[in-house]
Amino acid sequence: MKFDTARLIWIIGYLVLAPFIGGLLEGFDRKISARMQRRVGPPILQPFYDVQKLFNKQTIAVRKTQFSFLIAYMVLMIFTGAMFFGGVDLLMCFFVLSTAATFLIFAASVTNSPYSAIGAQREMIQMMTYEPAVLMTAVGFYLIRGTFDVDRIARAGSSAIVVLPGFFFAFVFILTIKMRKSPFDEAGSHHPHQELVKGITTEMGAKNLAVYTITEWYENVFLLGVVGLFIVNRNPLSYIGAIVVILLVYFLEILIDNASARVRWQTMLKMTWGVTLLTAGVNLMMLMLIYR
Amino acid sequence: MGKVKRSPWLLHYDGSSCNGCDIEVLATLTPVYDAERLGVENTGDPMQADILLITGGINEQNAPVVKQLYDQMPRPKVVVAVGICACTGGIFKDCYNIRGGVDTTIPVDIYVPGCAARPQSIIDGIIKARDLFQKRSDEHDEYEKTHHGGAGEEKING
Ligand code: SF4
């Protein structure tokens, strides 16, 4: 497909703004979490301070290749987001997303640290858990719009969520896994609980951890973009609606994160597949009956 | 150069303490004292830590562990001894297996006295530690600037 200037602006906007938006969202996340726990909490800009500090520290790496893997993870993740905001094939975005996640697993497993290895294994289980819902999302959009092109999906006459409520629910459900929130933060433990040390990030220090963190910000913005895709349509006002829904979803994730303890991976797998089947699956069947 | 002191991440190690000080360290992270407002994160990972916070004295068994944790932390780093046990060996000083305070094994920068050390003084210790952390980081940058050649990572001491 050919690029128009509007799409180019979207791509550049994503490349430049995503780290800031992602970092700010994380800052609000930590502040809101703190308030939910009746604490004062760190400043909103704390995630940026953290990353700045990480770049100022000495890098100790057990394996030098870890950095290359992390860079590959970052580049592919940025590529995923750029493709999405550039309006190309949604299915392709999801494939590149999975490839990026694979490089993260490589980065974690090159070090031979047992904690890192457990984190990497759990990351693979997580991928297996959320992948059906992610693919279903792409299928849902295709069924109602007859295309995988994000550009054309976004320019439809009505919001996709009207006919895809089940898919939307399934996608928001797996967002908890993708954003590494409780109860599904299997691969990397949040700071208060440490039986995994830091799981997948155990062996990442200084600039390696900084690269990882920035990549997570890019990823979160992309994922929230997919949430927004359920809302946007031809009407420019729908973009405001999309932002409102994105913020609500993000707040919901923070609430779930603070209100739940981590579950075992078996429970995560059963719950997620069950929910995917019940919501997206039933929604899919209904669509197939209607759009026949 | 960079303002690193806004983000001091702690690694808390419990030596041969009576657990009194450990409870106070955890109390500094609870809603009442909330050390996270200073950017403190209680990390369990030495590779990501900036401040090593040790409670309790050093005995023959945990000495190598403490040494290893210290070595695994990337520079610049700061060590804080919390509680009188960690400062001098305290009440356990004369036990047959106790070496004494943390400074018998690794260099200690900040001593937080008390039995148990109160959360207020622990927070005070953390604030002193993060200022020192900033100072060391500045020295680190200065060193990088004056010593060209890129191999700075291996050469820097302290
Ligand atoms: S200083 Fe006191 S409270 Fe702290 S570990 Fe020693 S004996 Fe326990």
Side-chain angles (χ1 to χ4, degrees):
Chain A
M1 64 163 271
K2 69 174 179 17
F3 276 88
D4 49 34
T5 20
R7 285 291 140 195
L8 204 62
I9 291 170
W10 272 102
I11 294 177
I12 293 169
Y14 172 76
L15 293 180
V16 178
L17 293 179
F20 294 100
I21 297 172
L24 268 183
L25 281 174
E26 196 193 318
F28 276 108
D29 179 348
R30 286 181 66 176
K31 195 80 182 170
I32 293 170
S33 297
R35 287 294 154 88
M36 283 176 180
Q37 300 161 9
R38 295 180 148 229
R39 290 189 287 115
V40 180
I44 300 289
L45 296 180
Q46 187 62 42
F48 298 107
Y49 299 155
D50 289 348
V51 164
Q52 187 202 26
K53 175 204 70 183
L54 288 171
F55 275 118
N56 272 301
K57 290 210 64 164
Q58 173 201 19
T59 308
I60 301 176
V62 184
R63 291 265 190 284
K64 290 257 191 269
T65 39
Q66 186 186 49
F67 187 64
S68 332
F69 283 132
L70 281 170
I71 289 292
Y73 172 50
M74 185 180 203
V75 169
L76 283 171
M77 187 58 71
I78 294 175
F79 198 62
T80 309
M83 269 172 32
F84 176 79
F85 286 99
V88 299
D89 203 317
L90 185 62
L91 200 57
M92 203 60 206
C93 292
F94 288 147
F95 286 150
V96 181
L97 180 73
S98 308
T99 320
T102 319
F103 277 98
L104 176 62
I105 292 168
F106 287 156
S109 32
V110 281
T111 57
N112 288 334
S113 147
Y115 297 109
S116 202
I118 293 178
Q121 282 164 10
R122 290 196 180 179
E123 179 74 14
M124 282 189 258
I125 295 170
Q126 285 190 350
M127 281 176 78
M128 186 173 86
T129 310
Y130 65 68
E131 213 57 59
V134 168
L135 288 180
M136 284 289 243
T137 307
V139 170
F141 279 119
Y142 184 82
L143 269 180
I144 59 163
R145 302 288 183 240
T147 174
F148 283 124
D149 275 356
V150 175
D151 198 28
R152 279 161 64 195
I153 295 171
R155 274 193 278 118
S158 63
S159 295
I161 192 172
V162 179
V163 275
L164 298 178
F167 291 89
F168 181 73
F169 189 88
F171 191 78
V172 170
F173 196 86
I174 61 121
L175 219 52
T176 319
I177 306 177
K178 278 304 272 173
M179 289 186 166
R180 308 186 184 284
K181 300 268 190 214
S182 288
F184 301 143
D185 56 336
E186 308 281 337
S189 51
H190 261 151
H191 51 268
H193 23 80
Q194 299 167 344
E195 94 283 359
L196 274 176
V197 186
K198 279 284 181 181
I200 199 159
T201 60
T202 302
E203 293 292 313
M204 295 173 198
K207 73 168 187 281
N208 290 6
L209 188 66
V211 168
Y212 168 83
T213 312
I214 294 171
T215 311
E216 293 289 289
W217 294 346
Y218 271 110
E219 181 177 14
N220 284 352
V221 172
F222 159 69
L223 291 169
L224 292 172
V226 178
V227 171
L229 188 63
F230 278 96
I231 313 295
V232 294
N233 54 40
R234 203 178 290 142
N235 187 346
L237 278 180
S238 69
Y239 283 83
I240 297 171
I243 290 172
V244 172
V245 170
I246 285 171
L247 292 179
L248 281 178
V249 165
Y250 198 70
F251 181 78
L252 186 71
E253 293 296 339
I254 298 173
L255 189 66
I256 294 171
D257 187 27
N258 277 290
S260 55
R262 186 191 305 148
V263 296
R264 296 157 64 94
W265 67 263
Q266 289 93 335
T267 320
M268 172 182 78
L269 188 71
K270 280 183 215 146
M271 272 173 80
T272 311
W273 280 9
V275 166
T276 308
L277 208 65
L278 276 180
T279 55
V282 171
N283 202 162
L284 179 73
M285 275 199 287
M286 277 154 61
L287 283 184
M288 300 225 299
L289 290 177
I290 298 166
Y291 283 81
R292 205 143 251 278
Chain B
M1 208 165 18
K3 277 257 178 288
V4 298
K5 74 171 188 183
R6 285 185 289 206
S7 161
W9 290 2
L10 296 184
L11 174 66
H12 171 204
Y13 181 76
D14 175 0
S16 57
S17 92
C18 78
N19 270 10
C21 285
D22 301 289
I23 290 170
E24 300 300 324
V25 167
L26 292 178
T28 54
L29 298 165
T30 56
V32 180
Y33 301 102
D34 189 26
E36 203 189 340
R37 72 200 140 94
L38 305 170
V40 168
E41 208 169 285
N42 186 13
T43 169
D45 187 353
M47 285 194 87
Q48 299 174 4
D50 309 307
I51 297 175
L52 176 57
L53 206 117
I54 302 190
T55 53
I58 301 295
N59 61 30
E60 294 303 332
Q61 276 189 348
N62 69 25
V65 179
V66 169
K67 234 186 220 147
Q68 191 179 15
L69 286 177
Y70 181 77
D71 288 340
Q72 279 181 350
M73 283 169 62
R75 295 192 169 97
K77 56 190 163 190
V78 179
V79 179
V80 183
V82 171
I84 215 70
C85 288
C87 296
T88 65
I91 197 165
F92 303 114
K93 195 178 171 85
D94 295 328
C95 292
Y96 66 95
N97 60 338
I98 292 283
R99 281 193 185 181
V102 177
D103 50 11
T104 54
T105 307
I106 55 172
V108 174
D109 302 297
I110 316 269
Y111 294 87
V112 179
C115 177
R118 314 199 87 216
Q120 289 92 332
S121 48
I122 297 175
I123 289 179
D124 198 37
I126 292 174
I127 289 179
K128 290 221 167 70
R130 68 175 201 160
D131 290 339
L132 187 61
F133 175 45
Q134 178 70 52
K135 194 168 146 250
R136 291 213 168 132
S137 174
D138 293 341
E139 283 166 10
H140 180 147
D141 291 340
E142 202 54 40
Y143 187 95
E144 293 271 280
K145 252 185 261 161
T146 46
H147 294 69
H148 292 292
E153 280 183 9
E154 285 80 43
K155 283 189 211 150
I156 302 151
N157 292 308

